[in-house]
Each structure stands twice: as structure tokens, then as C-alpha cells.
């Protein structure tokens, strides 16, 4: 209990110093706050935030599936599958997300005749995140000692059973926190979708700003809106990692 | 059991690790495989247990060697090997138990998933084995909470619970300190008394003497001698074997 109290006090202290500093910085600006203009547009904040949540969630699911396939390709014995996964992953990880968005939207989607920008946005985010997920999953699977695979074969498990009963349950423990971290980046990176004129959180807030000229009053809630999503995830990661620490 | 090997070989990266091993046992209960480190003992045991197939050395243009268990030929296609593995039991030096499952779940896994036993039958069998080897009180622990000796004994229980035709042991005690090694040794000797058929790789000569009826001595991938245990230890004609014993016993 003592430790808990110390922890809470430390957080309170650091947070209040942080806000004091922020407050002081804003005070120096001599800024004329005008919340009422922004408040008029509250529905735009909410709908933008919900769009961001929905698109991030959809991308999380799709990118997990892409990541799983990618990792299976990387781990497979087929050279062609391995090469496919490698080219995909290195291209995605080696280029900026913004460039990928523009190329996929204006070139690839255009060529394929896909017009729904929300759909394209989700695909872009999933492809981007999937590359990182594939590496996360591959790393976790590879971290399982080879001796366990021998054991699994020796007791007569098939390779599918080995994946299902031995490898993935253990890999999941390593994968989940990294995946949550990946999800945090995904949520933040989704703000780039504004360049495709997708009415997600950031774009909506930019619009509110241009209507009201109340920059601070628009962008502070924007930051808060993202924190609202990312903080619980970070917390989850910490709790998860504590929970499995007993493993030798 | 009667085991017959005809020119069994193994290569890794075009390097020959096992060179045309041939021998046939009488109808025995225990086979020992001994010899200096790196001689190919584990490699041979893995092939016999159906864990590895023989990689053919294409340069030498040889056919895969043949293995007969009680004059039944072992086929090397995936399906036959899988069937073979379900009929055998194997215990390695370490990493036998899965760390994410409790000891009990480790023991249940093959009976339920591989052998499709009824839950009640599996419980009955495991409870009897655990009681017999005084492990009942540890069964709800995770591998990380068990001692090395307890882990190995659990692994042996898992390997014999389905009544395998042969129990393969690859240095089951060499990662353990002497006290724990001896509890594992006693368990294996008990099983032998009971009629379990055993193929044992070990560096402990007193152990192999008590388990094996016949012994294959491997060195540098070649079979140096195959003989009855008592004969090998008392009157081997091979210089290499005699020197090996002298080095070990000194
Ligand atoms: N998968 C593999 N790839 C390449 N070389 C291997 C492989 N497995 C074994 N070897 C080599 O084959 C030789 C024999 O290995 P093996 O493990 O069968 O020896 P061993 O008799 O069991 O030795 P020890 O008593 O030290 O366990 C060694 O030189 C080893 O390096
Ligand atoms: Mg060995």
C-alpha cells in the first residue's frame, strides 16, 4: 500500500508540474480564449473522433490478419512466399506512410477503379501496420526454443496442432503488448488520412479551426481525443507485461 | 523388441554425419547407444524415433538406409513417420515440457489431442503414474516451478502414458545434478523392470550397463562395435572402445 501511495503522489506531482508549465506557456501567449465558437462545432469533433476509432479498429483487425499471413509466409519453406513477404515488408517499412497513402490512393486505387476513400484509407493503414505486425509475430514465433518443437513432434502433434497448441499460445504473450503498441501508432498515424479528405478526427478539427480561427481551442481537444484512445492501451500493455513476468 | 538397421546414414549440408550404420539386435528389452561426444548418437536416435529423415548425400548416390522394428519396415513418408511417432515415446535432455502449460496439462495434451482418449481414462492413467512416482503433489505447478529432476520425471510420464512400443531417451539425466539424476535413473530402472522397452543414449556407463542388453558404439559417425553389453565392457576387441572406457573410468 505504501508503494502505491508513493506512486500516486509521484504521478500527481509530475502531472501538476507539467500542467503548470503548460499553463504558464499559454499565459505568456496572452491568448484570447474563445471556447464558445468551437463548442458550436462539437458534433464535428465527435463524428471525427468516432470515424478515427472505427477506421483504426477496422485496420487493427485487417492488419492482424495481414500480419499473420505475412509471418506465415516469412516462416514458410517456400522461397517465393518468403520473397513476397520480404518485398512487401521492406517496401512498407522503408517508405513514409504519407507517400504510401498518396500512391495507393491516387495511383493504385484509381487504376483499380476503387472510389470509396474510407475503404482505401483502411486498406492503406492495414497494409502499413500489417508489415510491422508480420515482423512482430515472426519474432515471437522464432523466440520459442527449437527443443519445444522437437518435443511437440515427439509426442505426435501434427504441425497444425503444434502451431495451435504450442507456438501461438506462447507467442501471443509476446505479441499482444507489441501489437497494442502498434495499435497506438496506428491511431496516431490515422491523422494522416486527412490528406485524402477523409473526415476523420484531424481533418474535422482542421475544418473547425478554419471556420472559427480558434486554433488552440480546436487542437487541444484534438490532442485530448487521441490521448483518450492511446492511454488505456498503454496501460493495458503495462498490466499485461506485469502479469506474465513469473515465466522463467 | 528387435531392431535391424541397414546402412542408415545422415548428412547435413553435404557433410556426412552418420555413415552407413548397420546392425541387428536380438530380441532385447534395452538398446544402448554410446560413444564420444559428436559421434552421432543423437542423430541416430532421432532417425529411429521418426523425428528426422535421412538426408541423402546426392554425391554418393545412395538410397536411404532401412530400419526394421520387429521386422516391420519403417517407411519414411510423412504419414508413416507421424504414425510411428505416436507409437513411440521420447525424452530429451531438456525442453521437454511446454512452459505455458501446467504439468498436468502437459501430461494430458498427447493423450487427448493425439491419442483421443476419454477424459476419465486419461485421468485414471495419469493419476496412477503420478502416484507411483510420487509426483501427484507437483502436478498443478508450471515447469518453471519444478526442479530439474521433477521436470524430467514428468516428461518421462508423458512419454510412457500412452503405452509406447519403445521409450527413446537421449541423455535424460545429463542436465541434472547427481541427486536429481539418481531419482530419474531409478524411475527408468523401474520402468525397465516392468517391461518397458528402451533405447538409451547416455554418457553414464553404470546406467547403460543396467538398462541395455546390447550396445552400439558410435564414433565419428561410424559404428565401431555392436555387442552384448557384458561382452562390450569385459572384452571388447576394438582399441577405440577400450580407450574410451579407460578415459571415462579414470
Ligand atoms: N542439424 C544439424 N546440422 C548440422 N550438423 C549437425 C546437426 N545435428 C548434428 N550435427 C552434427 O553432427 C555431429 C553428431 O552430432 P550428434 O548430436 O548426433 O552427436 P552425439 O553423439 O549425440 O554427441 P553428444 O554426446 O555431444 O550429444 C556433430 O558434429 C554435430 O555438430
Ligand atoms: Mg547427443
Amino acid at each position: 500500500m505504501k508503494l502505491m501511495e508513493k506512486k500516486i503522489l509521484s504521478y500527481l506531482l509530475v502531472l501538476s508540474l507539467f500542467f503548470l508549465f503548460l499553463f504558464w506557456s499559454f499565459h505568456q501567449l496572452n491568448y484570447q480564449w474563445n471556447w464558445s465558437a468551437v463548442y458550436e462545432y462539437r458534433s464535428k469533433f465527435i463524428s471525427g473522433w468516432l470515424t478515427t476509432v472505427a477506421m483504426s479498429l477496422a485496420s487493427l483487425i485487417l492488419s492482424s490478419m495481414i500480419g499473420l499471413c505475412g509471418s506465415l509466409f516469412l516462416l514458410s519453406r517456400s522461397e517465393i512466399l518468403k520473397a513476397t513477404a520480404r518485398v512487401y515488408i521492406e517496401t512498407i517499412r522503408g517508405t513514409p506512410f504519407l507517400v504510401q497513402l498518396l500512391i495507393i490512393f491516387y495511383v493504385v486505387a484509381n487504376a483499380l477503379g476503387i472510389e470509396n476513400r474510407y475503404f482505401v484509407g483502411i486498406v492503406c493503414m492495414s497494409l502499413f501496420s500489417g508489415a510491422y505486425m508480420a515482423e512482430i509475430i515472426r519474432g515471437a514465433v522464432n523466440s520459442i526454443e527449437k527443443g519445444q518443437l522437437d518435443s511437440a513432434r515427439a509426442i505426435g502433434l501434427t504441425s497444425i496442432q503444434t502451431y495451435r497448441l504450442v507456438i501461438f499460445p506462447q507467442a501471443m504473450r509476446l505479441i499482444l503488448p507489441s501489437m497494442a503498441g502498434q495499435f497506438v501508432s496506428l491511431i496516431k498515424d490515422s491523422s494522416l488520412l486527412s490528406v485524402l479528405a477523409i473526415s476523420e478526427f484531424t481533418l474535422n478539427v482542421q475544418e473547425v479551426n478554419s471556420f472559427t480561427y480558434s486554433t488552440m481551442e480546436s487542437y487541444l481537444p484534438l490532442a485530448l481525443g487521441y490521448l483518450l484512445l492511446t492511454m488505456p492501451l498503454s496501460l493495458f500493455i503495462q498490466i499485461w507485461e506485469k502479469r506474465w513476468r513469473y515465466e522463467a | 523388441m528387435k531392431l535391424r538397421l541397414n546402412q542408415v546414414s545422415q548428412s547435413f549440408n553435404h557433410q556426412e554425419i552418420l555413415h552407413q550404420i548397420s546392425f541387428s539386435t536380438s530380441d532385447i528389452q534395452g538398446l544402448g547407444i554410446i560413444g564420444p561426444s559428436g559421434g552421432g548418437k543423437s542423430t541416430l536416435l532421432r532417425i529411429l524415433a521418426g523425428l528426422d529423415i535421412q538426408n541423402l548425400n546426392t554425391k554418393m548416390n545412395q538410397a536411404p538406409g532401412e530400419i526394421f522394428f520387429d521386422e516391420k519396415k519403417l517407411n519414411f513418408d510423412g504419414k508413416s513417420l507421424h504414425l510411428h511417432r505416436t507409437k513411440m515415446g521420447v525424452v530429451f535432455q531438456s525442453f521437454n515440457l511446454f512452459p505455458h502449460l501446467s504439468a498436468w496439462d502437459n501430461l494430458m495434451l498427447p493423450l487427448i489431442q493425439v491419442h483421443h482418449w476419454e477424459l476419465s481414462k486419461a485421468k485414471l492413467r495419469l493419476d496412477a503414474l503420478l502416484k507411483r512416482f510420487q509426483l501427484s503433489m507437483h502436478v498443478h505447478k508450471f515447469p518453471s516451478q519444478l526442479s530439474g529432476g521433477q521436470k524430467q520425471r514428468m516428461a518421462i510420464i508423458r512419454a510412457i502414458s500412452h503405452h509406447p512400443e519403445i521409450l527413446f531417451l537421449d541423455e535424460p539425466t545429463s542436465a541434472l545434478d547427481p541427486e536429481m539424476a539418481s531419482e530419474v535413473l531409478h524411475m527408468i530402472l523401474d520402468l525397465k523392470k516392468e517391461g518397458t522397452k528402451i533405447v538409451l543414449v547416455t554418457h553414464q556407463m553404470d546406467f547403460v550397463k543396467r538398462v541395455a542388453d546390447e550396445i552400439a558404439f558410435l564414433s565419428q559417425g561410424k559404428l565401431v562395435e555392436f555387442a552384448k553389453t557384458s561382452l562390450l565392457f569385459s572384452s571388447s576387441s576394438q582399441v577405440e572402445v577400450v580407450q574410451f572406457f579407460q578415459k571415462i573410468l579414470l
Side-chain angles (χ1 to χ4, degrees), chain B residues 38 40-43 93 170-171 201 203:
Chain B
K41 304 182 293 295
S42 298
T43 305
Q93 185 177 328
D170 190 355
E171 304 196 41
V201 170
H203 285 282

Side-chain angles (χ1 to χ4, degrees), chain A residues 157-173:
Chain A
L157 296 180
T158 62
S159 37
I160 291 175
Q161 282 177 319
T162 305
Y163 264 96
R164 187 164 60 83
L165 301 166
V166 177
I167 298 176
F168 273 115
Q170 292 185 73
M172 263 333 254
R173 272 174 216 177

Side-chain angles (χ1 to χ4, degrees), chain B residues 198-216:
Chain B
I198 295 174
V199 172
L200 170 69
V201 170
T202 184
H203 285 282
Q204 277 175 277
M205 294 306 128
D206 49 340
F207 184 23
V208 80
K209 270 185 198 165
R210 294 168 75 177
V211 172
D213 305 302
E214 294 178 351
I215 292 183

Side-chain angles (χ1 to χ4, degrees), chain B residues 53-67:
Chain B
I53 51 169
Q54 301 170 63
N55 299 315
L56 297 186
N57 193 337
T58 40
K59 259 185 284 178
M60 300 184 72
N61 206 11
Q62 53 188 200
E66 300 167 310
I67 301 169

Side-chain angles (χ1 to χ4, degrees), chain A residues 145-148 150-158 161 164-166 169-170 173 246-248, chain B residues 46 50-52 82 85-86 88 90 92 95-96 98-100 109-110 113-115 142 144 158:
Chain A
E145 306 95 350
K146 188 169 168 302
Q148 281 193 48
D150 276 341
S151 263
R153 275 160 60 71
I155 61 178
L157 296 180
T158 62
Q161 282 177 319
R164 187 164 60 83
L165 301 166
V166 177
Q170 292 185 73
R173 272 174 216 177
Y246 76 88
E247 279 278 321
Chain B
R46 291 178 62 88
L51 289 166
D52 286 342
H82 180 255
R85 289 195 294 270
T86 64
M88 303 291 151
V90 187
F92 304 101
F95 296 129
N96 288 291
F98 302 120
H100 64 299
L109 184 73
Q113 298 286 345
V114 178
H115 305 286
F142 280 82
S144 60
R158 189 177 68 180

